[in-house]
Amino acid sequence: MMRRGPIAWMVHHGVAPNLLMLLLIIGGLMASTTIKKEVFPDFELEIITVAIGYPGATPEEVERSLLLPLEAALANVDGIDELTATANEGAGRVSASLVEGVEVMRVYQEIQQAVGAITSLPSAADPARFGLAGRSRSVMSLQLHGWVDDQLLHDVAEEVRAELQASPGIARVELSGNREREIQVLLDEEAMQRHGLDHRQLANRIGDEALDLAGGRLTTGEGEWLIRYQGRRDEAREFAELPILGTPDGGQLRLGEIARVERGFAETDREVLYNGAPSLTLDVYQVGGQTPIGISDAVHAQLERLQADLPEGVSLTISRDSSEVYRDRLDLLLKNAFLGLALVLVLLGLFLEARLAFWVTLGIPTAFLGALLFLPWFGVSLNMMSMFAFIIALGIVVDDAIMVGENIHSYREQGHSLREAAVRGAREMAVPISFAILSNIVAFLPLLFLPGFLGMIFAVVPLVVITVFLASWLEALFILPAHLAHRAGGREAPAWRRPLDRVRKALQAWLSRVTQQRFSPFLERCLDQRLLTVSLAVALLAVALAWAMSGRLGFSLMPRVESHRVQATVTLPVGSPIADDRAIRDRLLAAAEALAARDDGPAFTANRAQIDGDRLSVQLTLERASLDAWPPSRVAREWRELAGEFSGAQAVRFESDVGGPGAGAGLTLRLSHPDSRALEGAATRLAEALGEFEGITDIDSGLADGKPQLEIRLSPEGRALGLTGGDLAGQLRAPLQGITALEQFIGRHEISVEVRLPAEARQSLADLYRLPIRTPDGRQVPLARVAEIELGRAATTLQRIDGRRIINVTADAAGDERINQVLGTLEADVFPALRAGWPGLEISPGGRQQETADNVSALTKASWLTLIALYALLAIPFRSYLQPLLVLAAIPFGIIGAVAGHMIMGFGLSVVSLMGMLALSGVVINDALVLIDYANRRRREGMGAREAIVAAATRRLRPIMMTTLTTFLGLAPMIFETSRQARFIIPMAISLGFGMLFATVILLLLVPCLYLMLEGVRARV
């Protein structure tokens, strides 16, 4: 019997286990050199976007002419979960969030076909642009900056981009912040009138003349000739010589006589300054199997040469290098992993014989490297989340080896031979260990199905952990017993090991005394008062749940993680002159300089200021040496105080977590109503109500005064002159907005020829009123004569979700607990009043609140499915319908430890904490499963229920303590990590580590009581 079965075969073979272990170790090491490496997992968001430009159109016109037809066309496309539409000045955008699991490319093609079939879009609208949203894999950003001519800065930026992209190890570099190049034809209106020309005629003339056109071929006796019209022009001076009309004296009217022709850039209200100078950005992307560190090294290898070749006054600076984040996080996680491994080894050395502790600990790297061998098959890369998953598995994965090794050690102490002890010990634990591993797998599986961005980030965690669990199962049952069976016996321990053996024996003697003299009598008393014991445990659980649900700990989607950057964002009223933006930008930069000038002030390595229309932002990068004394939250607070109030601003926001996990407004409320005026009134009232709460900052009503608008209608005189509304609108758009005469490539640049009035001729309302309008009979009359002009105001940005207009009201606070308290008060007092004041008003959470609710809902459903699956897995080895309930009853008590851990460590609860609690369920039942399985075996040998469960608790006390402590110590370095970079994953480690500690203490007392209570019920039935 002892030689039958796979376990016995592996134990007696000797060579096969070593070959299997070498395969896992060497294969994992080889895979570690080829596996893709990145900062975060690569994924694609299941969102399809449709964007259409409509130059000069107001948001209302964009909504009416673009969004409504698009929404109608997309309503019949299957697979769309939510349709979000945004109307801005001159552009509309529709984002379709897809149903999870749908075939993305099929829906993408159907959306293209549906949009292509729309016939009612304005002729002046640009062609639709389709996109599939995804996460950018930009590794580095470089700033090319200096007070030089725009043309020079753009030329140098494009040269640097080309040289970088041609460098070894760099595959993709993109330039951003650059403007489109133009040849501008700036018209002299008096000359145009004098020669009877209008803008569209002139643009058409330029397009017809300035081109090269094949005229066919001519075959003669001398051969074949190609015929080609040569009219192409590349330079502004060449366009200025373009003939437009013939003159009465036989001469030609050239373009330069009626217009100023010059090279330039498209007009924009966007400005970017880096360290005070105009800047363009070069982004370097990761492609294929490239690594962040490899790309960074490649850029640094070229940087000195590129900087040396720059013109005077131009600088090239690295502003962002995510490989540094990758290095920091890799070092952080490896440090925690090695520290955790060392703690586990020390603990095992104290409880187990040194050789046994070594082989048990060796199972950890074997399982890890074995997992690395298979992870590329699942598309998993080596990134921050997968490395964190290895740390989670560190303390758990050794549990199986501890159970098997400790059981084999027990048989050795009973006098069995090495091989017999190895086979018996492994066989006895095979079933409980196998089902314990399956339970762990089931507990982590729900993390694969979380919705949204959080689900995509954390999806790699269960894949890594499950792969490690399977590799550890293989190692614990087939490799470890063989190593323990072939240990040389009778050899005297070396001198260096004797002190450790003495400590181990003393600790075991102490533990044996505690077990027999302290734990066993205490357990007996608990069993005598089992109803009281269970009641106290339930009361403790109720207190923990009540404390968590009271909001005192707060609750959020993810913990906020401060970066080393601080950003201020100011939104001005729409249509504000750019001089106002510049004044506020300079004021923010001056406040930052004043803060840095303090004796104990922070040091900044760089600043970046960007103006984009009516929105401006200033970002400060902190020196790492300043982060301890000046955390970003303190910098943001002091910077806000120094900058003062910004009168007239629509919204002001200072952020210390910009770009990090958990970033964004702390509170977002989405309002919807069929009536736009009612919707705006409710949003205003809600913003006012938020302003009454202490500690609430950065309130944004989502409303802004739109740009002043001139509403023009054709006058009776205009109609009498034969004009139509289309004539009038067309003749206004061309000189003001401009009209494209032609587009062509000059070198590697696409350049358009734009015909418009010069800026100085369209700076006032008087210029508009004087604008000449050509009538059908060729006469030119001023606009004021043929049009009625009224002053109005356009909307700013219009948002729609599933066909309804919405407004997002946002605010922020110092902590999530304050947000939750305010939200509770709003739901109780403010929301009912708003609904009563504006019947039909819908109020729902948005932003972080909506994502939190979606994830909590998904985790709740997953929890029930997990419990059902765990029940089935336990019922099989127990061969009972009731005993699995004893094990499942231990799961909720892990919540006590998780909540206590968050209080001790100063963390608020989050969805990430709930993930840890859910994963904890599989770990907690491992010990309960082994405990009850041992008691059932003693019952089958003839013991009574009480004696069996007491024997099980005392016999399994040591392995249960070891598995609990190894789990906690494996996670301890991460739990007590002070690095900001780890804060968003620490709550999961806290839930697992502290939850395991508290659950085990209760488990050893509560499960025996429940076991006896169940046996009592059975006896009465």
Side-chain angles (χ1 to χ4, degrees):
M1 287 293 294
M2 295 309 298
R3 288 183 174 269
R4 294 182 181 177
I7 293 176
W9 185 86
M10 294 288 278
V11 167
H12 288 88
H13 193 283
V15 175
N18 289 327
L19 289 177
L20 180 58
M21 184 179 72
L22 288 173
L23 173 66
L24 295 176
I25 292 175
I26 296 174
L29 289 172
M30 293 177 65
S32 68
T33 62
T34 59
I35 191 171
K36 184 165 72 172
K37 301 172 181 68
E38 54 192 349
V39 179
F40 271 103
D42 188 25
F43 57 83
E44 284 189 350
L45 301 172
E46 294 181 339
I47 299 176
I48 297 171
T49 61
V50 183
I52 301 180
Y54 190 9
T58 64
E60 291 99 332
E61 189 176 356
V62 169
E63 180 186 40
R64 184 172 56 253
S65 302
L66 300 182
L67 298 189
L68 294 179
L70 285 172
E71 288 176 346
L74 299 183
N76 297 321
V77 176
D78 292 333
I80 295 178
D81 182 37
E82 183 179 80
L83 208 60
T84 303
T86 305
N88 294 308
E89 182 188 347
R93 180 186 180 91
V94 175
S95 297
S97 300
L98 306 188
V99 175
E100 191 171 351
V102 75
E103 189 179 346
V104 176
M105 292 313 298
R106 176 189 64 78
V107 180
Y108 185 87
Q109 292 168 359
E110 290 184 8
I111 287 177
Q112 284 184 315
Q113 293 168 2
V115 174
I118 301 174
T119 58
S120 58
L121 295 179
S123 58
D126 298 334
R129 302 188 307 277
F130 301 88
L132 185 60
R135 188 181 66 84
S136 167
R137 297 178 70 198
S138 170
V139 174
M140 298 183 71
S141 293
L142 296 90
Q143 303 292 329
L144 190 79
H145 54 105
W147 283 105
V148 294
D149 177 70
D150 272 357
Q151 184 78 40
L152 176 61
L153 193 64
H154 279 69
D155 289 344
V156 172
E158 287 168 356
E159 289 173 8
V160 171
R161 189 203 68 81
E163 289 196 41
L164 270 177
Q165 188 154 305
S167 302
I170 300 173
R172 179 183 167 200
V173 183
E174 292 189 0
L175 180 62
S176 62
N178 54 319
R179 292 186 285 162
E180 294 181 1
R181 296 172 184 260
E182 294 179 346
I183 290 179
Q184 299 169 348
V185 179
L186 306 175
L187 302 175
D188 182 337
E189 195 60 49
E190 291 183 3
M192 292 280 290
Q193 292 183 40
R194 194 164 56 247
H195 294 286
L197 293 169
D198 68 21
H199 306 83
R200 283 181 292 185
Q201 286 177 333
L202 184 60
N204 292 336
R205 182 69 175 172
I206 295 172
D208 291 339
E209 288 289 339
L211 49 78
D212 287 354
L213 198 62
R217 65 183 64 187
L218 175 67
T219 303
T220 68
E222 299 175 353
E224 188 175 80
W225 300 79
L226 294 179
I227 301 173
R228 186 172 187 81
Y229 175 78
Q230 290 277 59
R232 178 185 170 100
R233 288 159 168 77
D234 291 340
E235 299 297 331
R237 64 178 182 275
E238 295 173 351
F239 276 95
E241 294 299 317
L242 184 73
I244 300 298
L245 289 175
T247 59
D249 59 1
Q252 290 184 325
L253 177 69
R254 300 187 182 275
L255 182 59
E257 298 177 54
I258 57 173
R260 186 170 77 248
V261 185
E262 57 189 33
R263 267 188 180 252
F265 295 92
E267 294 180 346
T268 181
D269 52 5
R270 188 174 187 271
E271 289 183 2
V272 178
L273 300 183
Y274 186 78
N275 288 342
S279 174
L280 297 176
T281 303
L282 293 150
D283 291 308
V284 186
Y285 288 83
Q286 180 179 346
V287 177
Q290 293 179 330
T291 66
I293 293 175
I295 291 174
S296 177
D297 291 343
V299 171
H300 280 91
Q302 303 296 324
L303 188 61
E304 188 174 342
R305 178 181 62 82
L306 292 172
Q307 289 173 331
D309 293 340
L310 293 175
E312 186 178 353
V314 179
S315 301
L316 182 64
T317 308
I318 295 175
S319 61
R320 181 182 60 85
D321 186 352
S322 62
S323 74
E324 294 179 357
V325 178
Y326 182 82
R327 282 189 177 95
D328 290 346
R329 291 176 177 174
L330 179 62
D331 292 344
L332 167 72
L333 293 170
L334 287 177
K335 178 194 73 176
N336 288 325
F338 284 125
L339 185 55
L341 185 64
L343 290 173
V344 170
L345 179 59
V346 170
L347 178 72
L348 293 178
L350 292 175
F351 278 94
L352 301 175
E353 179 193 28
R355 291 287 296 272
L356 175 58
F358 169 77
W359 285 115
V360 169
T361 307
L362 186 63
I364 298 175
T366 302
F368 280 14
L369 290 169
L372 273 178
L373 179 60
F374 297 103
L375 285 178
W377 297 2
F378 301 115
V380 176
S381 62
L382 199 60
N383 54 67
M384 183 175 181
M385 297 311 302
S386 58
M387 289 187 285
F388 171 61
F390 279 113
I391 290 181
I392 290 178
L394 176 65
I396 303 172
V397 77
V398 77
D399 293 358
D400 313 324
I402 287 175
M403 291 293 185
V404 174
E406 199 275 341
N407 209 41
I408 292 172
H409 183 65
S410 176
Y411 274 104
R412 281 286 298 120
E413 290 177 337
Q414 294 173 25
H416 293 275
S417 68
L418 288 171
R419 292 187 178 182
E420 185 180 357
V423 175
R424 285 182 181 275
R427 278 182 177 172
E428 188 175 283
M429 298 304 298
V431 171
I433 287 297
S434 298
F435 279 92
I437 287 176
L438 287 174
S439 300
N440 284 333
I441 290 173
V442 166
F444 276 92
L445 274 177
L447 303 190
L448 277 173
F449 307 106
L450 287 174
F453 176 77
L454 196 64
M456 294 177 184
I457 286 290
F458 276 88
V460 299
V461 172
L463 289 175
V464 172
V465 172
I466 289 170
T467 309
V468 171
F469 285 162
L470 293 175
S472 75
W473 175 80
L474 195 66
E475 198 278 338
L477 290 183
F478 298 104
I479 298 176
L480 177 64
H483 288 148
L484 298 182
H486 291 82
R487 179 178 62 83
R491 184 182 300 170
E492 187 178 351
W496 64 267
R497 218 173 65 198
R498 290 172 195 162
L500 181 61
D501 286 342
R502 286 195 293 271
V503 173
R504 176 176 56 80
K505 290 176 181 177
L507 181 63
Q508 289 180 347
W510 174 82
L511 182 59
S512 179
R513 289 195 304 272
V514 169
T515 302
Q516 299 302 323
Q517 299 174 15
R518 301 288 184 183
F519 174 71
S520 184
F522 185 70
L523 176 60
E524 293 281 2
R525 286 196 294 273
C526 290
L527 292 175
D528 291 337
Q529 302 292 331
R530 47 187 173 272
L531 186 59
L532 176 61
T533 302
V534 172
S535 299
L536 288 173
V538 172
L540 193 59
L541 175 61
V543 170
L545 288 173
W547 187 267
M549 297 175 68
S550 69
R552 288 176 172 83
L553 284 175
F555 190 84
S556 63
L557 179 68
M558 294 179 73
R560 294 198 176 193
V561 180
E562 292 186 341
S563 67
H564 61 290
R565 293 185 174 92
V566 182
Q567 179 168 298
T569 305
V570 181
T571 304
L572 295 175
V574 176
S576 298
I578 197 169
D580 291 353
D581 295 80
R582 290 169 180 158
I584 292 177
R585 176 195 65 195
D586 294 344
R587 184 169 150 195
L588 285 167
L589 289 172
E593 288 180 11
L595 182 61
R598 291 181 179 177
D599 292 339
D600 62 340
F604 301 115
T605 59
N607 63 72
R608 186 176 187 273
Q610 177 172 319
I611 295 173
D612 197 349
D614 305 304
R615 184 184 178 90
L616 68 98
S617 62
V618 176
Q619 188 177 97
L620 309 176
T621 303
L622 279 155
E623 271 191 7
R624 294 183 182 273
S626 297
L627 287 172
D628 291 335
W630 283 88
S633 55
R634 182 187 175 190
V635 173
R637 186 171 58 253
E638 299 281 350
W639 189 21
R640 179 198 292 268
E641 291 178 1
L642 284 172
E645 296 295 325
F646 298 95
S647 58
Q650 297 281 358
V652 179
R653 181 175 175 80
F654 284 77
E655 300 172 272
S656 59
D657 56 358
V658 57
L667 176 64
T668 302
L669 298 169
R670 180 181 294 170
L671 308 185
S672 177
H673 196 282
D675 185 348
S676 298
R677 292 186 180 276
L679 182 61
E680 292 172 3
T684 301
R685 178 66 193 95
L686 179 57
E688 291 172 353
L690 285 170
E692 296 170 5
F693 289 97
E694 186 178 351
I696 297 296
T697 60
D698 300 340
I699 300 169
D700 185 356
S701 67
L703 300 172
D705 295 332
K707 279 186 178 180
Q709 176 174 283
L710 295 174
E711 299 172 358
I712 299 177
R713 296 178 181 84
L714 198 61
S715 68
E717 184 177 353
R719 294 187 186 280
L721 291 172
L723 290 168
T724 65
D727 294 333
L728 190 61
Q731 293 191 54
L732 286 174
R733 179 181 294 273
L736 299 177
Q737 187 70 34
I739 185 169
T740 303
L742 62 88
E743 294 174 330
Q744 63 186 25
F745 270 91
I746 301 177
R748 60 174 178 263
H749 308 130
E750 184 179 12
I751 295 182
S752 62
V753 179
E754 299 291 334
V755 179
R756 66 169 72 94
L757 289 175
E760 59 270 16
R762 43 190 171 89
Q763 287 185 330
S764 67
L765 291 179
D767 294 330
L768 176 68
Y769 294 152
R770 290 195 300 267
L771 193 68
I773 302 296
R774 180 180 290 273
T775 62
D777 60 5
R779 287 186 295 166
Q780 290 188 339
V781 294
L783 174 66
R785 182 176 167 188
V786 296
E788 295 175 351
I789 303 175
E790 294 181 5
L791 296 177
R793 190 169 287 275
T796 53
T797 297
L798 301 178
Q799 288 185 296
R800 299 167 62 86
I801 292 184
D802 292 335
R804 290 172 63 91
R805 272 197 188 182
I806 62 114
I807 291 178
N808 287 322
V809 179
T810 61
D812 218 330
D816 291 318
E817 62 277 5
R818 183 57 179 155
I819 291 289
N820 293 331
Q821 292 167 3
V822 169
L823 189 56
T825 305
L826 290 173
E827 289 173 344
D829 302 329
V830 178
F831 291 172
L834 290 175
R835 293 188 180 102
W838 290 276
L841 178 68
E842 294 182 8
I843 307 174
S844 60
R848 288 160 57 89
Q849 279 71 38
Q850 183 184 20
E851 288 188 56
T852 301
D854 291 344
N855 280 277
V856 169
S857 174
L859 284 174
T860 302
K861 294 175 184 176
S863 299
W864 289 110
L865 293 174
T866 300
L867 288 175
I868 294 170
L870 290 175
Y871 175 84
L873 286 173
L874 294 171
I876 295 172
F878 287 162
R879 300 182 182 183
S880 168
Y881 293 109
L882 294 179
Q883 280 194 349
L885 299 177
L886 298 181
V887 179
L888 295 180
I891 292 175
F893 293 94
I895 297 174
I896 300 173
V899 171
H902 281 77
M903 293 172 60
I904 292 169
M905 300 306 299
F907 277 79
L909 292 174
S910 64
V911 173
V912 180
S913 308
L914 297 186
M915 292 183 199
M917 294 180 195
L918 189 60
L920 175 66
S921 62
V923 184
V924 166
I925 67 172
N926 289 354
D927 294 336
L929 188 153
V930 173
L931 186 70
I932 294 177
D933 178 74
Y934 187 91
N936 288 343
R937 280 191 277 114
R938 297 289 81 82
R939 291 291 305 280
R940 288 194 291 270
E941 294 172 2
M943 273 191 181
R946 182 168 181 139
E947 290 78 8
I949 195 64
V950 171
T954 53
R955 170 66 185 82
R956 290 300 177 194
L957 176 63
R958 184 173 72 170
I960 287 175
M961 283 183 59
M962 288 169 60
T963 56
T964 299
L965 290 174
T966 53
T967 300
F968 182 78
L969 291 177
L971 292 168
M974 179 60 67
I975 291 173
F976 297 103
E977 179 59 57
T978 57
S979 169
R980 292 181 179 85
Q981 297 175 359
R983 285 189 66 85
F984 84 100
I985 52 179
I986 289 176
M988 190 171 183
I990 291 174
S991 293
L992 274 168
F994 281 95
M996 192 66 186
L997 277 182
F998 280 72
T1000 300
V1001 173
I1002 293 175
L1003 170 80
L1004 288 168
L1005 302 175
L1006 181 65
V1007 170
C1009 292
L1010 292 174
Y1011 187 88
L1012 281 190
M1013 292 171 71
L1014 178 61
E1015 292 299 320
V1017 172
R1018 277 180 172 176
R1020 285 193 292 272
V1021 173

